[in-house]
Structure formats: structure tokens, C-alpha cells
Amino acid sequence: LFFPDTYLFARGSSDLDVFRRAYGAMKSRLAMAWERRETTVPLKSPYELLILASIVEKETGLPSDRPQVAAVFVNRLRRGMLLQTDPTVIYGLGERFNGNLRKIDLQTDTPWNTYTRPGLPPTPIAMPGLASLLAAAKPPQSNMLYFVARGDGSSVFSANLGGHNDAVNRYQRR
């Protein structure tokens, strides 16, 4: 619920002053994004928009990929597909995550595991910036349902499982 930004404060400001300001900034930007949202996006509240934007924030290494990543998740939500996003699993593992995400981790149920639970997780998993809020609020029209990291910060997007599996073999398994 805090907006990630650089804030200037007077000497002697309390930590509560910092939190209040960051909270107010997020509240304001979230309200603006919610107001601008595409009404067909399957989100019921600004808080759900915040959750989706937090996932987009964690899934993108390249800023220009944000809208397309948001479109993939919105398309999956519309179809009732599992989101199957690794950052939610990592968040749910907490301190048990050692930097190596294993198959057993993807199968271990937590409230944030989007491989085992449908829909959005119960809370945000990160503090999204404005670009992620806007991408989640108004993703581009797209038929893409999958994406995989290339290893250079960018992603390859696919409309079907066959294309996705080819991309996984090319960029992840090499």
C-alpha cells in the first residue's frame, strides 16, 4: 500500500511521516489508475488492481513488456485459467525460499500460490510503480496467454501452449 518513490523530508521527520506520505501517494495513484481502467478488465476493486499490478511489477524485467504481461494475466483471469506466476509462489514461501524455485515449491499450496489456487492472491506481493498500475488497469488487446523470460530481461509471448513450450525449450532449457 506504499508507493515506491524518492521522497524528500525535513530533518527530524518520523518514520510515520514517511509511511503516511508513501501511503497517500499510492492511494492517489491507485485511484487515478482505477478511474482510467478499461471497464472490461475483470477486477472488482482498486485493491484487486493493486494486487495485479504488483504481480506485473515482479514479472517484468523490461519496462516495455509491462502492458503485454498485464494482458496475459487479464486474459487468463477472463478464461478462469490459473495465473501460474513464479513471484507469487516465491512470496508465499517467504524466508523458506533459498533462491532456487523447484517443482515441489510450485506444488506446495500457500494462499499466494497461483499454481495451486485460482484467481488473484489475497494481497499484493510487491510495491508496484505507476507503469505497472496503468498497465494492469488498461492492458492492450491481445490473444497472448503465456510468456517466458528470454534471460536478458525481456519476455517471449505466446498465444498457445505449443508456442509457449517451444519458447521454454529455447530460452529456459537451451
Side-chain angles (χ1 to χ4, degrees):
L1 295 173
F2 301 111
F3 189 75
D5 206 349
T6 301
Y7 298 96
L8 299 176
F9 288 91
R11 186 180 311 250
S13 296
S14 74
D15 54 350
L16 288 177
D17 293 331
V18 174
F19 288 130
R20 278 189 197 103
R21 187 157 172 207
Y23 174 75
M26 179 58 84
K27 192 173 170 184
S28 153
R29 285 167 178 84
L30 183 57
M32 180 269 299
W34 182 253
E35 189 65 32
R36 292 183 184 181
R37 81 188 183 286
E38 173 62 48
T39 56
T40 61
V41 171
L43 301 171
K44 299 178 189 105
S45 68
Y47 191 67
E48 285 192 355
L49 173 59
L50 181 64
I51 293 169
L52 179 57
S54 76
I55 296 169
V56 171
E57 186 77 27
K58 292 301 282 185
E59 275 288 9
T60 45
L62 196 62
S64 60
D65 280 351
R66 278 189 189 103
Q68 207 50 274
V69 167
V72 166
F73 290 133
V74 165
N75 289 341
R76 286 175 155 257
L77 287 169
R78 283 185 177 132
R79 293 176 182 225
M81 294 174 68
L82 294 172
L83 294 183
Q84 294 182 319
T85 172
D86 295 355
T88 63
V89 175
I90 292 166
Y91 185 86
L93 291 172
E95 295 198 14
R96 291 178 293 164
F97 180 64
N98 66 3
N100 180 28
L101 193 61
R102 301 161 303 155
K103 186 175 182 178
I104 190 70
D105 298 325
L106 301 178
Q107 297 168 339
T108 301
D109 186 47
T110 73
W112 292 271
N113 188 334
T114 56
Y115 283 83
T116 61
R117 295 191 182 205
L120 295 168
T123 66
I125 61 165
M127 294 185 297
L130 184 59
S132 293
L133 288 169
L134 293 174
K138 202 167 191 163
Q141 291 287 89
S142 170
N143 66 341
M144 299 299 162
L145 293 170
Y146 303 92
F147 64 94
V148 64
R150 279 192 177 107
D152 64 358
S154 68
S155 297
V156 176
F157 297 88
S158 306
N160 59 56
L161 187 57
H164 175 66
N165 287 338
D166 289 345
V168 168
N169 286 331
R170 181 170 181 192
Y171 294 104
Q172 297 292 309
R173 295 191 180 123
R174 298 199 191 239

